[in-house]
Amino acid sequence: MKYHIVTYGCQMNLHESEKIAGVLKEAGYTEEAPLEEADIIVFNTCCIRENAENHAFGNIGALKKLKREKKGLLIAVGGCMVQEAGKAAVLKQKFPFIDILFGTHELADLRSLIERKRAQRKTVISVREARAETEDGITPVRTSYPNAWVNIMYGCNNFCSYCIVPYVRGRERSRRAEDVLREVEGLVKEGYREITLLGQNVNSYNSDGKGGMSFPELLDRCASVEGKFRLRFMTSHPKDFSEELVAVMKKHKKICKHLHLPVQAGSNRILSLMNRRYTREKYLDELALLRREIPDCEVTTDLIVSFPTETEEEFGETLSLVREADFSSAFTFIYSPRTGTKAAEMEGRIDAAVSKDRITRLIALVNEKTREKSAAYIGKTIEILCEDYDEKKGMYLGRDEYGRMGYFRSERDRIGEFVDLTVTDANGISLYGVCAD
Ligand code: 5AD
Ligand code: SF4
């Protein structure tokens, strides 16, 4: 039997889909296949912004005909959107052909939900409030060799006023350090060459007062695992940034000199309304410390424009922060109201045309910075980890430790190899080069 998984959202969700594939395999769905050929289709949804939700709604709706024509096809919808208050009922009503609706805490139960559905006509709905366990016992079907993701914690306690994540992912739960380490060691032995430690806010790993290793200690231990591999982590919250973290990053060559540190906005008034618990000055001080200790460390960020009441001047502070902080790239978003969050209740929504104009200007500035940095690569030789082959370009591709994408031609399969690439050309965010065969 065949399966197909459609994933929306972040790396966390991509890894969760690898776990969903693991559960499906155990349930007898042994082969991944295109949508039309699948016996089960699973949507792993995201609700962080409205457009992610609309996208999923559109794609699920488009399956009505296939579901009617294909006897025995199962359709399951899971993830963040199903976990939102009242959303499972909306989905069931709008798309009565969905067989299974499961929340963010039911991954390990998916197999039994499938069995339940086979025994009943009605839609199976399972949305738990929380889950205390941090081990799910699932062996993921990893799909991005030579890269592998490892969860170190789940959930978020921060309640940034715009963000729905704490509501749909629950409170922070940290995995035991020994479980994380065992997984990292196993992956390195299996030949994975880049490991990314995942959490909504990795710097608050084990900060529940129950003791246990801090994040810098865990990172130190993971980077001490023998073998040739790279280590990354995401996401870090500026309020929990520490000297210890910088010291560990500096100590280990294996840890990529790249920090993803979402700042969100450049105005202190907006940061306070966002409940971010740091100021622009504190953020810039953190970057200064980081660059003093690790001068060639690259920083990327997330930025939101048009938070309620944001003035043109305050938006200008985001632009000036981007200039000062010297980000190598950034994810940029227009504020999207999420039902149930504090910000959704705030007055002073920003007009859509103004938001469009702000994001356009912000993207232009970010791109200009990225291009400048790419151009500086020309003539340099960098080590990239080859991760894929681009059929269209007829080239292999990989990333350097800063996350910059490099393309090159080769006569033989290079996926999984560290390759020395001499950069000959730069085009926006991508680099092109040659490597010795
Ligand atoms: N609107 C716009 N962007 C958001 N993000 C989270 N919630 C929202 C929202 N309601 C962005 C933040 C976060 C990233 C993962 O998504 O920038 O860092
Ligand atoms: Fe959302 Fe803030 Fe938690 Fe990140 S830290 S997941 S933005 S609430």
Side-chain angles (χ1 to χ4, degrees), residues 156 158-160 162-163 165-166 200 237 264 276:
C156 181
N158 289 321
F159 290 94
C160 300
Y162 51 80
C163 186
V165 168
Q200 303 292 353
H237 192 301
Q264 314 296 1
R276 291 291 288 177

Side-chain angles (χ1 to χ4, degrees), residues 48-56 336 338:
I48 200 150
R49 281 170 295 276
E50 197 184 356
N51 52 7
E53 288 201 343
N54 291 343
H55 200 174
S336 170
R338 307 282 65 209

